[in-house]
Amino acid sequence: MAHRFAVPATGLALILGLLAGCQQDATPPPPTTGWVPGTLRFGAHADFKSLDPALANDTDSIPFVRTMCQSLLDYDDGVNLVPLLAESMPDVSADGMTYTFHLRKGVRFSNGRELTSEDFVYSWTRVLDPATVSPGQSYVKDLIAGAKEYSDWRSVEDKQKAHQDLTAEDQQVPRADAVSGLSAPDARRFQVKLTHADQTFPYVIAMTYFAPVPREEIEKYPQEERKDQFTAHPVGTGPFVLKEWRRSLRLRLERDPHYWDAEHAPALQALEVRFGLDDLTKQMMFERGELDLMNRIPSAAYVRLKHDPRWQPCFEKLVFNGAFYLWINCEMEPFAGEKGRLVRRALRYAIDKERIAQVSNDRYVPAKGVVPPQMPGYKSQVLGCPYDPKAAKRLLAEAGYADGVPDSLALWVSNEESSGERIAEVIQQDLKAVGFRKVEVNAVNFDVYQAMTGKHKTAPLCYGGWYQDYPDPSDFLYQLFSSNSITDSDCNNLSFYHSDKADELMDQAGKEHDPAKRMEQYAEAEKRIVEEDAAVVPVVDVQEIWLRQTWVTGFHIHPVWLVKYDKLSITPP
Amino acid sequence: MTRRILRILNRLVQSVVTLLGVSMLVFVITHAIPADPVAAITGPKADKATRDRMRQELGLNDPLWVQYGRYLWGVLRGDLGTSPVTHERVTEAILIRFPSTLFLSLGGVAIWLIVGVPVGVLTARHRGKPIDWLTLILAMIGISLPTFWLGRLLQYQIAYRDGVLPVAGFFRWDSLVLPSLTLGIVGAGYYARLVHSNMVEVLNQDYIRAARARGLSEPVVLFKHALRNALIPVLTVLALDIAGLLAGVVFTESIFALPGLGALALQAVLTMDVPMIMGTVLFAAVMVVGANIVVDFVYRLVDPRIQ
């Protein structure tokens, strides 16, 4: 008789056992075993798209690419630039338009060859070549002398090769086989001529896009395969080299035994990234000691771990240079024109940022201005705006909406942003409370979000973020609110905000030599954008929260790179 | 003989038409979505010139039918294209990830058959008795369990809490135990019921009564005479299910971070990687169409009466 019930009894036992396992236990302490000597393990959700420094542009991959490919300049533990491949900060001409870099002696690529200034000419020209499709191109195309001419000519040349019809405009493009502003007077001097003085240039070139790569390691592949091959087989001057990249599974970088800067060689032997791990899986692996670092901690686990004193020393927090905004489309009713300006100002008072920060479990802090607080030398003039629904209603009444705003308004948000949808819903409630009767949250994937919000007169409201490329206010103000950023599609200026005065201030600041005056001009532009014209409501600034295992030492969140992996070590407790 | 050749040719033509239809449908759908693959590839901060260049490189400025024709010509030459997102060749990407999906599928199918078939036979033999009812309830629970929930539950309890098996990844062979169990528990209940209902039907046939009357032992009657016939309809479902698994087990692979075809397809959709979406869907379609052809032939092998 007993055997008859064997199968159902086993099944029931399994289910009951699993259900019993669901009961909450106290948080286990940080693991004391599980480390791999000399190897740091990190988890990422999506595989990296590319390891080619000219192409890698996602937040997770850049700190790893940086360990393989270095730039002329780097950041210290904060946001101050320091020389890296250059032996000193560059010599700048009196007009601020010529930069001369002196390269360090004895720097070698991981293939053993010594770095020369010609490698910079080659690598930067490669970034500017439209065929590379490097995101770095857009930062310097209008800045380096001859860059635009070269880029335009290469486009025409490619069309000719593909036997495509040339437009009248194409036929006017002069021949430019090289970038005239890049030169290598000798093996250790690299000179760059700019089209105009721009104080952001040193910050721009500290980005990984501008790391030198050896020509021979790219040109050994057939022309049509170069981009795809170098993406998976990068070579640079950094302390780590690529050992293995099993797509969707694992990336392993190992310390280069012949690294040129032995004095500053990393303590770690290897860096390992495991892919395909969502936040919940990462948290489980981390708590089991299978990962050494973790970010994007799931909310439930965060609350549990935060309140456990044994875990508290393992937390690291930093308000990062990233922010989320409620963008208000200044071209669309009811936000357009003078009356619309009053409606936009009403929005500033309508949103309870403190509550949003509270529901986000410390991931965000209330924002005051467009520019996040970590910018070097920058002091915002924007004082922030208190949550005041009465003031919002009063402004709406002034705008002729005493009985509320009857228009149906779509609030677009990407459902791939952490907490984005939830925050959009809080904003929706806040707006309804002051009289915006019909606000609908449209949560869509990021591509659709980008396509819909980047078009004229399509998205009246949207909630989305912006992270720094380099720590300078222009990266936020100019990129997001200059009228030059308004395009017919894929627009960055999601408010479609156009102000001659703000443009003028930002243009002046871009050319200004005096850093203090420059920052003042940006601050004035920001005040106009946020307070006077209310083109945007800065909602929250991003706070990075990371957990490390007790055996990881040397870890702190870097305000630009997030993590300097080459500075970490594993010290068993 | 000629009729047989014609029948095979007819089947092949049907398969080609099906694959063409699938490729055309997916191509149109991926281009109808209001998301710009170029924006997805170049990122939010790329300028217009970079995006225009990428658009030109991907041939997106051409009419849709030209793009489709170009894709089809590539497929006919065995070239599924290159992903503009990851810079991987689509064919290679699929082949690299196939083993992970294959091993996971084999693990799941093994559990379906090892648990499902004996339980189905047993419950058919003891039809209407308490063990039949209890097994029915358990099987229904198994069938109703969503994979993403069951996977998470097993991962949480067995890997995270008990630490018996790895939480995720594909670094050791025991990494496949929990994902296979996830697939297996859900499918075993279904196959137990499928085998059960077919067995009940077969056990009522005259030749089974005749076998028993001839004094054959019960295991021989059940497993040699009844099960063999009861499995014929099961084969159809099994072949299509295996094809479905080999095409990618999206939820299971995603939960357990297995680098398989399901995870590849999901990532491709999330990043609007059109060549990769097309490649993975086409591969899935080939699997299903192939499975149908195999089933046709296996039918004829198992039961020569079927024409």
Side-chain angles (χ1 to χ4, degrees):
Chain A
M1 184 69 186
H3 73 278
R4 291 188 179 186
F5 294 100
V7 172
T10 311
L12 265 179
L14 178 70
I15 289 170
L16 291 174
L18 286 170
L19 291 176
C22 293
Q23 67 191 24
Q24 283 293 318
D25 270 1
T27 301
T32 50
T33 57
W35 70 86
V36 178
T39 299
L40 185 114
R41 299 155 302 167
F42 180 70
H45 190 193
D47 196 350
F48 297 160
K49 291 175 185 170
S50 174
L51 296 177
D52 180 345
L55 297 177
N57 68 344
D58 43 301
T59 323
D60 280 341
S61 68
I62 288 174
F64 287 96
V65 170
R66 186 192 151 268
T67 65
M68 292 185 285
C69 303
Q70 301 168 314
S71 300
L72 281 164
L73 305 176
D74 191 16
Y75 294 91
D76 60 7
D77 286 343
V79 288
N80 304 306
L81 286 170
V82 290
L84 180 59
L85 295 181
E87 66 181 9
S88 56
M89 292 304 281
D91 299 335
V92 187
S93 63
D95 60 2
M97 288 171 57
T98 304
Y99 283 71
T100 306
F101 296 90
H102 301 274
L103 305 190
R104 257 181 223 277
K105 249 187 203 167
V107 176
R108 289 182 182 278
F109 288 110
S110 58
N111 69 358
R113 180 171 67 72
E114 188 163 358
L115 174 82
T116 69
S117 47
E118 280 296 345
D119 291 310
F120 281 96
V121 176
Y122 170 75
S123 304
W124 289 27
T125 305
R126 179 172 173 258
V127 167
L128 284 162
D129 186 342
T132 309
V133 199
S134 168
Q137 184 205 35
S138 59
Y139 296 96
V140 290
K141 191 173 155 187
D142 296 319
L143 186 54
I144 294 176
K148 190 173 183 314
E149 290 77 1
Y150 171 76
S151 182
D152 290 349
W153 169 247
R154 285 286 297 116
S155 292
V156 171
E157 213 176 26
D158 283 349
K159 277 188 184 176
Q160 284 172 338
K161 279 181 193 163
H163 305 291
Q164 288 177 1
D165 295 334
L166 297 184
T167 61
E169 207 176 296
D170 289 337
Q171 285 165 356
Q172 300 301 315
V173 173
R175 189 181 181 98
D177 291 324
V179 182
S180 59
L182 301 177
S183 62
D186 60 50
R188 286 187 48 221
R189 261 196 313 150
F190 172 50
Q191 203 166 62
V192 187
K193 287 193 175 130
L194 306 185
T195 53
H196 57 273
D198 189 328
Q199 301 301 315
T200 64
F201 180 67
Y203 292 104
V204 168
I205 60 153
M207 289 195 284
T208 45
Y209 304 128
F210 302 97
V213 290
R215 177 194 285 255
E216 66 275 16
E217 294 294 336
I218 294 172
E219 295 189 349
K220 71 183 182 186
Y221 301 111
Q223 177 79 41
E224 65 282 4
E225 288 180 21
R226 282 176 190 169
K227 195 160 62 177
D228 298 338
Q229 288 290 348
F230 198 69
T231 266
H233 306 96
V235 175
T237 57
F240 286 91
V241 289
L242 176 64
K243 182 70 182 173
E244 183 193 29
W245 188 10
R246 285 188 63 193
R247 297 294 190 125
S248 302
L249 182 66
R250 176 170 59 182
L251 172 78
R252 188 175 167 85
L253 311 181
E254 288 188 0
R255 192 169 68 187
D256 180 2
H258 309 295
Y259 179 49
W260 59 271
D261 189 3
E263 200 185 324
H264 298 104
L268 287 172
Q269 292 288 343
L271 301 171
E272 204 169 284
V273 189
R274 297 176 173 188
F275 299 115
L277 309 177
D278 58 37
D279 294 347
L280 189 57
T281 309
K282 272 198 290 188
Q283 171 235 318
M284 288 193 267
M285 291 177 76
F286 180 81
E287 285 192 66
R288 295 238 30 113
E290 294 174 30
L291 295 175
D292 300 309
L293 283 178
M294 179 174 70
N295 60 347
R296 299 176 197 137
I297 308 160
S299 296
Y302 175 68
V303 173
R304 177 169 57 81
L305 296 166
K306 186 176 98 166
H307 290 108
D308 187 328
R310 296 166 303 179
W311 278 101
Q312 279 164 6
C314 302
F315 273 99
E316 290 283 339
K317 291 182 188 175
L318 181 82
V319 178
F320 195 65
N321 283 335
F324 280 77
Y325 312 105
L326 176 69
W327 306 81
I328 311 166
N329 194 321
C330 301
E331 291 182 336
M332 289 180 77
E333 291 301 337
F335 306 118
E338 274 309 306
K339 204 170 79 170
R341 191 206 300 251
L342 289 171
V343 180
R344 300 199 303 261
R345 283 185 182 164
L347 287 180
R348 293 188 67 218
Y349 292 97
I351 294 164
D352 187 352
K353 300 174 191 176
E354 293 287 346
R355 184 160 72 111
I356 290 171
Q358 274 168 13
V359 300
S360 73
N361 276 327
D362 301 340
R363 282 169 194 214
Y364 305 109
V365 294
K368 288 183 178 175
V370 169
V371 182
Q374 293 280 340
M375 279 301 163
Y378 183 74
K379 199 171 175 200
S380 175
Q381 292 177 10
V382 178
L383 298 173
C385 185
Y387 171 56
D388 187 350
K390 283 181 187 164
K393 283 181 184 170
R394 197 174 56 244
L395 282 162
L396 284 181
E398 271 180 51
Y401 295 109
D403 297 327
V405 180
D407 308 44
S408 182
L409 298 171
L411 168 54
W412 292 80
V413 62
S414 159
N415 55 17
E416 291 165 35
E417 288 290 358
S418 167
S419 320
E421 200 173 336
R422 199 151 39 113
I423 292 174
E425 283 164 1
V426 174
I427 293 173
Q428 179 192 35
Q429 288 166 16
D430 285 345
L431 296 186
K432 278 190 177 167
V434 298
F436 288 88
R437 289 191 221 147
K438 296 176 198 162
V439 179
E440 277 178 30
V441 173
N442 283 354
V444 290
N445 76 36
F446 184 72
D447 305 327
V448 177
Y449 167 83
Q450 203 178 9
M452 297 307 288
T453 56
K455 270 192 281 194
H456 282 284
K457 299 189 177 181
T458 307
L461 293 169
C462 61
Y463 176 77
W466 187 260
Y467 287 80
Q468 71 176 0
D469 298 299
Y470 47 84
D472 189 85
S474 65
D475 190 35
F476 284 78
L477 293 168
Y478 187 85
Q479 295 275 354
L480 304 180
F481 297 100
S482 149
S483 56
N484 284 340
S485 300
I486 298 177
T487 48
D488 290 337
S489 61
D490 306 328
C491 178
N492 275 338
N493 184 341
L494 301 184
S495 296
F496 292 88
Y497 170 72
H498 179 115
S499 158
D500 290 339
K501 180 65 189 165
D503 280 348
E504 192 187 322
L505 283 164
M506 289 188 282
D507 285 344
Q508 280 172 1
K511 292 170 191 161
E512 180 58 56
H513 285 228
D514 178 358
K517 199 169 173 191
R518 193 168 162 265
M519 294 298 163
E520 269 173 35
Q521 285 162 335
Y522 276 127
E524 204 182 322
E526 184 189 33
K527 194 174 165 69
R528 176 166 282 272
I529 293 162
V530 177
E531 288 185 351
E532 289 174 37
D533 292 337
V536 67
V537 182
V539 181
V540 283
D541 290 324
V542 176
Q543 178 158 251
E544 281 290 331
I545 303 174
W546 287 61
L547 260 176
R548 61 171 176 84
Q549 297 287 7
T550 48
W551 54 75
V552 175
T553 50
F555 176 72
H556 78 275
I557 301 171
H558 191 271
V560 178
W561 300 121
L562 272 179
V563 184
K564 280 187 163 181
Y565 287 102
D566 49 330
K567 302 291 179 201
L568 305 182
S569 53
I570 302 285
T571 314
Chain B
M1 188 66 186
T2 320
R3 197 189 290 173
R4 184 173 291 175
I5 291 169
L6 278 175
R7 209 166 38 228
I8 292 170
L9 279 175
N10 185 30
R11 201 77 182 83
L12 286 175
V13 170
Q14 277 178 20
S15 305
V16 170
V17 170
T18 308
L19 291 176
L20 265 176
V22 168
S23 68
M24 203 180 289
L25 197 67
V26 179
F27 197 83
V28 170
I29 290 173
T30 48
H31 286 79
I33 296 169
D36 183 3
V38 169
I41 295 160
T42 54
K45 298 191 174 184
D47 67 349
K48 191 173 176 302
T50 308
R51 288 174 186 156
D52 287 348
R53 172 73 197 199
M54 181 55 91
R55 196 165 276 116
Q56 183 196 329
E57 206 167 273
L58 296 178
L60 296 177
N61 296 327
D62 297 330
L64 200 59
W65 64 270
V66 174
Q67 293 180 45
Y68 180 67
R70 195 165 44 224
Y71 179 76
L72 210 57
W73 176 237
V75 172
L76 289 174
R77 288 178 298 137
D79 178 13
L80 291 174
T82 300
S83 158
V85 178
T86 65
H87 305 277
E88 283 177 285
R89 295 189 75 77
V90 174
T91 317
E92 275 173 28
I94 290 173
L95 291 178
I96 286 171
R97 282 148 180 100
F98 185 64
S100 164
T101 303
L102 177 68
F103 292 130
L104 170 61
S105 305
L106 290 177
V109 171
I111 295 173
W112 293 353
L113 298 181
I114 291 168
V115 177
V117 173
V119 170
V121 172
L122 195 71
T123 51
R125 171 71 182 79
H126 300 285
R127 193 180 168 209
K129 293 182 181 169
I131 190 172
D132 183 25
W133 287 105
L134 268 172
T135 316
L136 173 67
I137 292 167
L138 284 176
M140 290 312 291
I141 292 174
I143 293 166
S144 314
L145 292 177
T147 315
F148 61 86
W149 179 83
L150 180 65
R152 276 280 183 236
L153 195 68
L154 292 172
Q155 187 182 45
Y156 178 79
Q157 182 60 34
I158 298 173
Y160 170 63
R161 295 276 301 270
D162 300 339
V164 177
L165 291 164
V167 175
F170 189 32
F171 303 102
R172 302 176 346 208
W173 282 104
D174 57 0
S175 304
L176 282 175
V177 175
L178 287 182
S180 301
L181 212 55
T182 306
L183 282 182
I185 288 174
V186 176
Y190 176 72
Y191 276 90
R193 294 317 297 166
L194 195 64
V195 172
H196 169 94
S197 52
N198 285 305
M199 278 294 282
V200 166
E201 201 176 306
V202 170
L203 286 174
N204 284 330
Q205 299 287 321
D206 289 342
Y207 70 88
I208 297 294
R209 282 195 208 104
R212 282 181 175 141
R214 274 163 45 213
L216 295 177
S217 68
E218 193 59 14
V220 173
V221 171
L222 283 179
F223 290 98
K224 190 173 174 193
H225 293 276
L227 182 61
R228 202 171 159 188
N229 286 295
L231 280 183
I232 294 173
V234 176
L235 276 178
T236 319
V237 182
L238 184 65
L240 289 173
D241 277 351
I242 292 174
L245 291 179
L246 292 180
V249 196
V250 176
F251 285 125
T252 314
E253 286 179 354
S254 297
I255 291 167
F256 293 99
L258 295 175
L261 292 173
L264 179 70
L266 182 68
Q267 200 55 39
V269 170
L270 290 177
T271 53
M272 276 302 288
D273 187 346
V274 176
M276 202 63 90
I277 296 174
M278 293 291 298
T280 48
V281 173
L282 212 55
F283 183 80
V286 168
M287 285 288 138
V288 173
V289 168
N292 270 308
I293 294 173
V294 170
V295 166
D296 277 3
F297 285 101
V298 171
Y299 257 176
R300 291 185 179 97
L301 284 178
V302 174
D303 187 349
R305 292 170 303 172
I306 297 171
Q307 287 301 310

